Amino acid sequence: MKKSIIILSSTSRRGGNTDLLCDRFMEGAKDAGHNVEKILLRDKNINECLGCGLCYNFHKECPQKDDAALIIDKMVNSDVIVMASPVYFYNICGRLKTMIDRCCAHFLEMTNKEFYLIAAMGEDNRELMERAFDSMRSFIMCCPNSKEKGVVAATGSLNIGDVKSSPAMEAAYQLGYTVGSS
Ligand SMILES: Cc1cc2nc3c(=O)[nH]c(=O)nc-3n(C[C@H](O)[C@H](O)[C@H](O)COP(=O)(O)O)c2cc1C
């Protein structure tokens, strides 16, 4: 069945390793007939959550007027959400965390989502990369009846383009291609 997929690409650098992996995932998913949109968060204006509580105490819309609302709307209306982040100090980067925090008013509407996780890091240490994936999993836990469906992990990818020689590129394509098959 055709799925709608949103990819949140949070690299700080255009053409970054995680973004290249997102593109491969997207190619695979498109080849399989899905509708895919990638959002490069660095090109968007997304403020940090103010913690004002207007959403959870008074069911009001977020007072901030930036690009977050449109992205959140796409997340709510997608079947599949892909979160991609460079590993920064064994965690996700601030840009992705900021986007996640801004979901405060609407994460309970992100029901039955299938999540895919993508990360790249400089060191060749897959085990330590789990810390970044665990940060993403904390968000998945909060989205009702949602589950993780797959990960792409590129270790040993420090400089822009290093990932091109990694098996993670093919893994990203295959994962995108097999969305919805299990
Ligand atoms: C602020 C910062 C922190 C980083 N922290 C780590 C780290 O803890 N472990 C690691 O292996 N690589 C670390 N790196 C390297 C990045 O994970 C690596 O360059 C990755 O390919 C970046 O992905 P991108 O090209 O999509 O931006 C860090 C890079 C930066 C800029």
Side-chain angles (χ1 to χ4, degrees):
M1 199 184 77
K2 197 161 148 177
K3 302 233 177 198
S4 65
I5 302 173
I6 181 166
I7 303 177
L8 305 177
S9 176
S10 66
T11 183
S12 301
R13 41 192 193 182
R14 198 171 293 285
N17 293 314
T18 47
D19 197 50
L20 293 170
L21 292 168
C22 288
D23 286 344
R24 286 298 284 155
F25 184 99
M26 183 158 65
E27 277 172 48
K30 281 187 172 169
D31 284 352
H34 301 298
N35 284 327
V36 196
E37 181 180 2
K38 184 185 79 171
I39 296 180
L40 199 50
L41 295 180
R42 75 190 286 281
D43 289 344
K44 302 294 178 189
N45 176 29
I46 303 165
N47 300 320
E48 290 177 0
C49 174
L50 299 171
C52 65
L54 277 176
C55 59
Y56 56 78
N57 284 326
F58 302 104
H59 303 291
K60 299 251 192 245
E61 277 307 317
C62 179
Q64 301 205 63
K65 302 294 170 227
D66 59 12
D67 295 328
L70 191 64
I71 298 169
I72 291 164
D73 192 54
K74 289 172 189 285
M75 292 169 75
V76 168
N77 289 301
S78 293
D79 304 305
V80 176
I81 299 172
V82 181
M83 294 190 288
S85 177
V87 171
Y88 280 2
F89 296 101
Y90 306 111
N91 212 318
I92 58 172
C93 65
R95 188 172 278 111
L96 181 60
K97 184 63 167 70
T98 296
M99 185 63 236
I100 288 173
D101 291 348
R102 287 296 302 281
C103 294
C104 192
H106 294 283
F107 68 92
L108 291 174
E109 296 158 50
M110 296 179 191
T111 54
N112 303 311
K113 303 300 176 199
E114 296 180 352
F115 279 88
Y116 291 84
L117 316 179
I118 295 175
M121 74 191 298
E123 290 168 65
D124 200 7
N125 194 326
R126 177 66 181 78
E127 202 182 330
L128 281 174
M129 187 181 264
E130 278 303 298
R131 297 179 184 204
F133 287 137
D134 280 343
S135 281
M136 300 182 195
R137 287 175 185 128
S138 302
F139 178 62
I140 300 173
M141 257 175 61
C142 300
C143 299
N145 200 31
S146 295
K147 45 184 175 290
E148 176 184 333
K149 297 289 283 185
V151 302
V152 178
T155 59
S157 299
L158 181 62
N159 293 306
I160 284 191
D162 281 353
V163 78
K164 285 180 186 167
S165 57
S166 162
M169 289 291 271
E170 179 59 19
Y173 178 88
Q174 290 302 332
L175 206 55
Y177 192 79
T178 52
V179 163
S181 63
S182 65

